[in-house]
Each structure stands twice: as structure tokens, then as C-alpha cells.
Amino acid sequence: MRRLRSFLPLWFMLPASVIVTLFFVIPVFMTFAFSFTTMSSDTGVLGNRYIVSEATLLKLKELNIDPVLVASLGEIRFVFDDTNLKNISQLNLKPSLLKEINTKLKNKVFATEKKLYAALKTLKNRPRSFKDRKAISKATVSSMMNKEFLTADEFSQGLVSVGINLDAPAFNQLLELTNTSWHWTTDNYAELMASDFTLKILGNTLFYVFCTLFFNVGFALLLALATFYMPSGQSKIFRALWLIPRISPSVIYVLLWKWFTFDSGFMSHFLSSFGFTPQDWLKEFPWVFVILANGFVGASMGMLIFSSAIVAIPGDVLRAAEVDGAYPLQQIRRIILPLLAWPILFVTSYQTLSLLTSFEYILLLTDGGPGFFTTETWALNAYHTALSNYFGNLRYGFGATLAVVLVVVGIILSLLYLRLFDFKKLVTEPQIET
Amino acid sequence: MEIKLEKFSKSFGSVKVIEELDLTVGNGEMIALLGPSGCGKTTTLYAICGIHRVSAGRILFGDRDVTALPPQEKNVGVVFQSFALYPHLSIYENIAFPLRIRKEKNADIERKVREISATLYMEHLLERRPGQLSGGQQQRVALARALVRRPDILLMDEPLANLDASLRLEMRTEIRRIQQESGCTSILVTHDQVEAMSMCDRIALMNNGVIQQIGTPDDMYHQPRNKFIAGFIGNPPISFIDGAVENGQFTSQGMSFGLPDNLKKASLTSGQKVSVGIRPEHLQPGSENPVAGEVTFIESQGREILYDLKLGDGQMLRSIQSGARTCKLGDRVTWSINVNAVLFFDAQDERILPA
Ligand SMILES: Nc1ncnc2c1ncn2[C@@H]1O[C@H](COP(=O)(O)OP(=O)(O)OP(=O)(O)O)[C@@H](O)[C@H]1O
Ligand SMILES: [Mg+2]
């Protein structure tokens, strides 16, 4: 085949390249970079923020910083600064009262709501209704807590605005303690090596991948072979039937599994007529259903590939096996399976990679449970750690570390499989005439 | 073992491919199933070995009715048109396959495979895979695989179709030798009449799922039962001239000649429309029963020269002559017909037999 010399094909590839770069290449590099950081939802991703959080207050207390200061950092204030005055002007207050507030209370800070109300009472046009007083209180309430400040100046202004005035050394100390920016580290990897959960999750993942793969590929083969030997009408129906898991939305599919297994579901109902007590079968045997749900979905792809590979075997080869005395089981063992070696290898490798990285069915079915880490796999754990932590703090850095391990394993497996596929070239030597 | 097809019919869905075919192949005989493409040769073969289910009729091996038997239960060796070797197995394992299925002992298998590959001069190929063999070598492997389990019946579906001319010639004699040595009843499917005539005891000529005639190659050539057979057998082919019988004469616009004596007594009425078949070797230079025309085509075939002669009414005759070229393109010549060898056919294309 003649190859083109121009760059034209590259232009055609441009949209694809952009997508691949945007959604695959850059994330991989970023994940790698993130894995060497302490990023979390505490630090943010952009870094260099100044935040006073509950954690900061605890730290300040530990360091024996002036308790009054610590207390005032944690408290709320009622502040009549420019921003808050603007907020008040938007309330539905009498103009005379507004005017008085603007002149008499400007830049005043009150430590408690009580003090605020007392001050309001001193006004000539004081607000009569409780509602108005409450509105003013709401419009002026301020706190240092959990506010993000981008620069030291902003932070200092923020302090002043809630009525905290510090000398330079005290301010600098506070500045350092509230700086939340992340930093570079290899601790994530050390933690991964040391953690007790690592082994548990690794074991889960291996168990999940091997069992699902075995079920998936075996079942696909069984289907492909069965439909091959069936009358063609029946086999068409059967094949179409097995595509349904592919086209049904995964959420619905998993819901059906849940309905099937829960304690008043179909399975309990059915088995109770054989004397089994109804129970939540998913809770009882979580792995069985995780593997079945994944396996059935995956089997349809393998079945399609195996079916077309079997059909591609020259009809005369199978007829020859027939007249040579081979019955279907012998044909399968001695002719079809050896000729399916490559499709089987292909499906196996493809499924290994996708099983390693995909976790949507486990997420929807058991979310890693029941109980602690029962069905938590590596990919699911990375997701939990970095993006959906029930306990609050999202650890981007450590999650990225988990993901990096997965990426590395995936790449190694891909290379290994590619080597195996190349092996095909070695097997088919050129034809020799003698 | 004798093969007998009794009113065998085969249809695929609504398409009737074979209708009520009768055929008997004697014990140890080799018969050629000859016919144009799509006439049902392969279908018949597949029914005999059991690959196809029979739609109607019976198939007997000797006295045994094997109509409903699956292929696994018949001891039939088949050489497929495409060879159908097992691509993932070595040549040794390909040949050993039928024996392995029968769970024969390794030592027996080894001995039989060596034996048959020695007969077919292919011992040096045993370690290779089918993809590493030439077409002729693959063909021999296919034959070895069919023969290794000593089949009662050997079926070959156009086994020589993929070979070059010289290899084909060599394999023809080889197959015939092995068939005669092993004495197994054989059917050779082919659409090459030379192959059929040179290899087989008898020929069954098929057209549209019907056997037109069964006989020896000589029979077929000289005594065809109808126009199809006369046209199919013979290379270069016979030429047909349409005309009528009048007063003991065959007449068409371009030629006429007196009927041969043995045909005069046949039930030919005057004015009856007939078609005559004249083989190229029966039109030669000479003066008896002359026919005149223009030479429109000359082809040298080495030893012989093929001429096309265009008659006055536009119909064509073919002539094959040995020796030097006697005329050139466009010449008007007058040649002689060997009237006693002319074949006569009626309006239904059936042969009008001499009385
Ligand atoms: N499985 C099938 N389904 C439908 N029609 C078929 C099938 N197999 C064969 N036929 C038809 O039956 C007829 C005979 O086919 P067959 O293969 O026996 O021809 P053949 O004589 O072997 O031709 P060739 O010399 O080209 O091999 C053809 O018209 C073919 O289209
Ligand atoms: Mg055929």
C-alpha cells in the first residue's frame, strides 16, 4: 500500500487528537503529578489560600496562641463596613433609619447580636419591628471562618473588617498557620505501601477481575458455540436476546439486580417456596452478584466476537471434521477452540483492562459494601478516596496515587498483550514451495 | 462396496436441486460425476457422505440403508474441493486426525501415517503446517487424510481444480493408481471432461440435477443420448446445424447431404425439423459430401489446427486438421463431411438413433 506523503491525514485526525489529548493524555499526566502532592479538599487544587477552619483553630490552641484571639477568630461579628452597609441599603427600611445607620454606625463592630440590638435602640429612628432588627443583624453578620483569602493583604483586611487588629509578628504567625497550600511529597506512595487496606483492596480486585473474566469469557464462548450449532432461526433470537444487557442503561440494569435479590424480591420469593428464609441475597453473597451482573453484560461482546470468528471458519473444514468422525464436542475441542485462540486472547485482554478500570456496576450495586471494603476494588477505592468520600475530606493526592498504580498496571498488561498478539506474526511463516 | 442412490432428491428450502436421481456405482469402480457448474455435483456428494440430509429417496452402501446416517457413522473418505485441511495442525496431525478421533493407539497411528505419506511421496512435509504447502502438496495431504482410515468409499470433489496443467496430469495417474490399489469404490466430481474420461471407468453426466447419461467415455463421445451430452463432451466442441429432412436429404440453407444408409430406415418424416451435430474431426478437406464456406477463424493448437467455417446462411462449423495450414483467413473453401459420423437430434434435442 502506498502511504500518503502530505500532512492532510493529520488534519483529519485533529478533532480526534484534541479529544484524546483533552480527555486521556492530559488527565494521565495530571494524575501522575497529583499523586506526588498533598492535595485534598482542605488544600484545594490551586493552592496558596488562607483559610481559618476548625482545624486551624485546633492547631492554634495547641500552639498556645492568645486564647482571646483564637476565640475571636472563631466567633461571628456584626460589622458595618462598606459591603454590609450596601447590603442594608437593599433592605426595605425607612430612609431616615438608613441615613442614621450610615452616619452613626459606619465602621462599627459588635461582638454579639445583643450588643448590636442595644446599639440600634440608641438610634433616633430605631427600627420598631423585630423583623427589621433581625434583617439588619443578618446583613451585617461576618466571620473569618471558612473564608478563602487569596493574598496576605486580603487576609489582613478580612481580619480588620471583623475587628481583629494584630501586630506584625502575630499577623505573620497567623498567616503562616492559615496558609492551606498543598506541597510536593512522596508520602502518598509510602502510605500506600504501608496501609493495611492496600492488600485487602488488591485481593478484592484480583478476585473480582479473575472471576468476572472467567465467567464472562466462558459464558460468551458457551453462547457462541451453542448458537452456532442451533438451527439458525433460534440462534438469531438467542443472539439478539444477549445484546439486551448491552443496550439497557446500567442504572436500570443494576436496579433490576437489586430488585431481584432483596429480601422480598423475586429470588427470596422463589426460594421461599423451597423452604429458604427470605433474605437480602445481595448482602449475603455480594461477590456472587457483583460477578454475575458484570459477567452477563460483558458476555455479549465476547459472544459477538466469538460467533463471527466461528462463522469465519471455512465450512469445509468443519465438514471435513464431520466425515473424519468428529461429533460436535470433538469438533469444538479439536478444531473450533484452537482456531479461536486469537479471539479468545483478544477478548480476555480487552476485558481484563476494562474490568480493572471500570467500577460503575459495583458502585451502583454494593458501593464497595456491604460493611467495610467487602467488595471495594482498586478503581472504586480510587474514586472513593479522591472524589466521593463519605467522611468528607477528599484526598485528591492519594486518590491520584491509587489511579497511577492502576494506569501503570494497565500499561504493563497492554504491552504484555501486544507482545502476545505479535506472536501471531511468528506463527504464520511465509509459504514455502518445494 | 457398492453405492446405490434410489430416487434421491434434495432441495434447499423451496429450491429443488436434485430430483429423483438414480445412480449405482459398482464395487471397486471409479465413476466420474461430470457436469456444468451448479448442476448439483457437490450436493450429491455431500448427500452420499451424510453432510446433507436427504430430502427424499434412499442411499444404500452395499445392502445397508445409510440414508439417515450422520457422516460420523459412515466410513467415507472425502477430498474437498477446497482441500479443507485443519490450518492449526501439522501435516502429520492432519493426516492422523481421523485415527485420533477413533482413539487408535499412537503406534498404529504413526505406522499408518508414515505408510500413506510414503505412498504419496510426502514424508518430508509431515512437520509443516498447511499454510506452508503449495496447492499440489495440500491436495496430496487431503487425499492422504481421506485414505488413511481405509474408507469403504472415497469421494473426491474436484480435487485437481486448483492445480497447474502438469501437476494435474501427474496427480490424475497417481489418484487412479491409489484407487485401484486400495480397491475402494470412488466418485470423482469434476467439470473437466478430459479428467473424467482419463481417470474413470464410467462417467455420469449431470445437468440441472438430472443424470443425462451414464456410460464409458467412448459411449458418451460416440453415442450421446441427447444434444446436451453431445455438446458437453468433446473438445473442441461439436457444432450443430439446424435444418430439415427432405427426400432422404438433410437440408439447411447453407448445406445439404444425403442421409446415411442406417438412418434412412429410421422414423424420419419428410419435412421434419432436425439438428445435426458434426464433430470437428469429421469435417476435413475432400470432395465427398461437400460443404462450402468462408474461413473466419484459425487457431493453431500445436499438432493440430482449428478452423471455423462460416456457411452461406451464417451457421458455423468447426474443423480440426493435422498437418500444415492449407488456407488462410477469409479464404472460401469446400470441405467434406463424414456423413456416417454425423449425429442427428430431433426438435426435443433427443438423439435420433440409427435403426
Ligand atoms: N446450501 C444451499 N442452499 C441453497 N442452494 C444451494 C445450497 N447449496 C447448493 N445450492 C444450489 O444447488 C445447486 C447445485 O449446487 P452444487 O454445489 O451441488 O453445484 P456443483 O455442481 O457442485 O457446482 P460447481 O461445479 O460449481 O462446484 C446450485 O444451483 C446452488 O446454488
Ligand atoms: Mg461443487
Side-chain angles (χ1 to χ4, degrees), chain A residues 199-217:
Chain A
L199 260 185
K200 169 77 178 156
I201 293 166
L202 185 69
N204 278 352
T205 309
L206 291 180
F207 180 76
Y208 163 70
V209 169
F210 277 116
C211 291
T212 312
L213 202 61
F214 188 78
F215 180 82
N216 195 329
V217 175

Side-chain angles (χ1 to χ4, degrees), chain A residues 316-317 319-328 330-331 334-335 338-339 429-434, chain B residues 46 51 72-73 76 80 82 84-88 97-98 100-101 128 131-134 137 145 149:
Chain A
D316 275 351
V317 169
R319 292 192 196 107
E322 262 187 334
V323 294
D324 282 347
Y327 287 95
Q330 289 164 309
Q331 291 168 23
R334 290 172 178 272
I335 309 289
L339 288 178
E429 287 161 35
Q431 183 166 327
I432 308 157
E433 298 268 348
T434 52
Chain B
Y46 280 5
I51 291 170
Q72 290 91 345
E73 287 169 38
V76 178
F80 289 85
S82 60
L85 303 180
Y86 308 123
H88 58 294
F97 190 85
R100 293 228 185 275
I101 294 292
R128 302 217 194 141
Q132 301 166 330
L133 297 189
S134 73
Q137 293 168 333
R145 185 181 61 186
R149 56 62 197 245

Side-chain angles (χ1 to χ4, degrees), chain B residues 328-350:
Chain B
K328 58 185 197 303
L329 216 60
D331 279 0
R332 293 200 62 83
V333 295
T334 304
W335 284 336
S336 152
I337 295 171
N338 176 3
V339 172
N340 287 320
V342 170
L343 304 167
F344 286 76
F345 301 96
D346 64 17
Q348 282 75 47
D349 291 344
E350 289 300 318

